Amino acid sequence: MLCGTMGLLGALFAPFDAAAVARPDTGHGHAEDVPAAVLAALARDLDMTEDQARQRLAVQERAVALNTALRGRMGKDHAGSWLDADTGRLTVAATRADQAPRVVAAGADVRVVRHGAAALAAISDDLGGHRGGRGAKAVTAPEGVVGWYTDPAGDRVVVTIRRDAARATLDRLAAYGDAVVVARATAQPTATWQYLHGGDAINGGNCSNGFNVVNPTTSVRYLITAGHCVTAGGTVTGQDGSVIGPVVERWFPGFDDALVRVTNTAQWVQGPWVDTNPSNGAAVTIDGYSDGPVGAAVCKSGVKTRLTCGHITGKDQSVLYDNVNWMYGLTRFDACVEKGDSGGSVYQTGPQNRAEGVVSGATLDAGRCLEKVGLPNVSFYYPIADSLAYYGPRYGVVVS
């Protein structure tokens, strides 16, 4: 089964060298420790050799640490970031020009933007969503809009609409000027479940396990999975049909996660593990969690498509599932995801494997991820950072 944590700054600028971040290294002694199955999946899905994948992971590890440090130092002036998939260079968007020398000195590229994260978040709130967080009433999105996400590199919100969207909706979106760009939907996104009930399979293979979490004070253990995979007050079962435990909290729609208490501890042995060939393959060990920038490589483990990898392509995604359920705060990525993968683990791999989130949904073609019909994959996960920010204070849980 499965699990996550990350860091800050202070006097951390000194170890970050601009040339080192830009320069790929061999990764030996670090990325060479990535399990063979994960390395092979990265090479396959990112269209590179295994040696190139090792180099990419080593560079990415430094860039992600640098981004975390800069976010802590810049505060509200940090307007997002992204990794260049070819060079491994980190670019940070800044809302003030006087931040640029600091970013460059730390070892990243910088782009001064006109709108920035706060303005784009305000547009996202205006389009719809739970402005007050969990439990707040959702604001209805304009008719014909099926989703939107923040594109920090473009300093804009990308809004996806149906082809039959009304002129009034187009006019409203046009009023945001260059802070919004409109894209047409190729298909309707859907939650990647088989059925609402069931049970690496969990609930009969209808969904997948997420990450193990634990209250280190009481040693009470839990599992985080997708909210749409379970029912409030229900019981979750494992791949052999044995009970795992009751659903403590479940959020869906709006948000998409759930906390399951593991009461059948005699049957289920837990630890900080993710299966690389669900349900009974080798495992990688999870060490903390992350909230990676656009461009970061991530891998996904789920019972339907097993181990697949891709890149983060958008943050703070709002999306309409099945033309019924609005979802908010998702991360968009391009690994193959299909029905049955929901709740599965998405993680950054490298010198450390860090939890990123649990699979939520995807845009599919006749049930297939889009790469199978020659199109870029569009998949979504709910960030573990947001799950822990909510469940941590309430239940004392950390990634185990």
Side-chain angles (χ1 to χ4, degrees):
M1 303 211 178
L2 343 167
C3 311
T5 327
M6 230 170 122
L8 253 221
L9 173 59
L12 289 182
F13 276 124
F16 291 110
D17 163 43
V21 173
R23 180 183 62 243
D25 65 22
T26 62
H28 294 308
H30 299 283
E32 66 180 5
D33 298 326
V34 176
V38 178
L39 194 64
L42 276 165
R44 177 196 68 210
D45 293 342
L46 304 188
D47 192 25
M48 59 179 62
T49 67
E50 292 191 3
D51 190 56
Q52 288 172 328
R54 287 192 188 92
Q55 294 178 27
R56 170 65 190 272
L57 293 176
V59 171
Q60 177 171 304
E61 181 76 6
R62 292 197 300 273
V64 168
L66 174 57
N67 185 57
T68 302
L70 285 170
R71 186 184 289 129
R73 173 67 67 89
M74 296 170 65
K76 65 182 181 180
D77 295 323
H78 188 291
S81 56
W82 56 97
L83 285 173
D84 186 293
D86 295 323
T87 66
R89 288 288 296 181
L90 175 72
T91 301
V92 173
T95 55
R96 287 175 25 212
D98 61 3
Q99 291 281 5
R102 172 178 291 171
V103 174
V104 172
D109 295 331
V110 64
R111 183 180 299 173
V112 180
V113 296
R114 186 158 64 90
H115 303 300
L120 299 183
I123 292 173
S124 182
D125 283 346
D126 191 43
L127 288 171
H130 290 251
R131 297 177 186 171
R134 299 190 192 225
K137 184 178 180 180
V139 178
T140 303
E143 178 64 28
V145 172
V146 298
W148 61 89
Y149 66 92
T150 300
D151 170 23
D155 192 32
R156 61 191 182 178
V157 175
V158 181
V159 181
T160 305
I161 63 173
R162 294 198 306 264
R163 297 187 182 279
D164 62 351
R167 169 52 60 182
T169 295
L170 294 172
D171 290 344
R172 177 176 171 183
L173 296 176
Y176 293 112
D178 65 358
V180 165
V181 64
V182 174
R184 300 283 180 171
T186 56
Q188 182 67 48
T190 181
T192 46
W193 51 16
Q194 298 279 29
Y195 312 99
L196 181 59
H197 303 293
D200 168 313
I202 59 172
N203 291 346
N206 300 323
C207 281
S208 303
N209 285 316
F211 293 96
N212 289 329
V213 293
V214 64
N215 182 319
T217 301
T218 64
S219 298
V220 175
R221 290 191 166 272
Y222 302 85
L223 180 74
I224 291 180
T225 189
H228 72 262
C229 286
V230 300
T231 54
T235 299
V236 174
T237 59
Q239 57 174 300
D240 64 353
S242 299
V243 168
I244 292 176
V247 178
V248 177
E249 281 202 49
R250 176 254 193 186
W251 291 88
F252 181 85
F255 310 94
D256 197 7
D257 65 5
L259 189 69
V260 178
R261 180 169 176 172
V262 180
T263 54
N264 189 3
T265 54
Q267 175 71 19
W268 299 104
V269 177
Q270 289 182 277
W273 308 312
V274 169
D275 200 330
T276 59
N277 185 26
S279 292
N280 295 293
V284 297
T285 298
I286 299 298
D287 182 10
Y289 70 93
S290 56
D291 188 9
V294 169
V298 292
C299 292
K300 174 237 89 221
S301 288
V303 70
K304 178 62 186 298
T305 59
R306 311 300 183 186
L307 178 64
T308 61
C309 302
H311 297 96
I312 296 173
T313 57
K315 306 285 285 189
D316 196 22
Q317 168 85 54
S318 298
V319 64
L320 180 61
Y321 281 166
D322 303 303
N323 210 28
V324 176
N325 295 310
W326 271 104
M327 309 301 301
Y328 307 100
L330 301 177
T331 297
R332 180 185 181 109
F333 70 126
D334 60 5
C336 179
V337 164
E338 293 179 355
K339 290 180 179 288
D341 289 327
S342 275
S345 49
V346 181
Y347 58 98
Q348 281 195 46
T349 190
Q352 291 178 294
N353 300 298
R354 297 189 179 98
E356 268 283 331
V358 295
V359 172
S360 176
T363 300
L364 303 177
D365 182 283
R368 300 168 295 179
C369 65
L370 296 183
E371 69 179 41
K372 295 179 180 177
V373 293
L375 297 172
N377 292 319
V378 178
S379 306
F380 313 102
Y381 64 85
Y382 193 78
I384 193 76
D386 290 352
S387 296
L388 292 177
Y390 177 76
Y391 295 120
R394 293 172 70 86
Y395 300 97
V397 295
V398 297
V399 175
S400 62

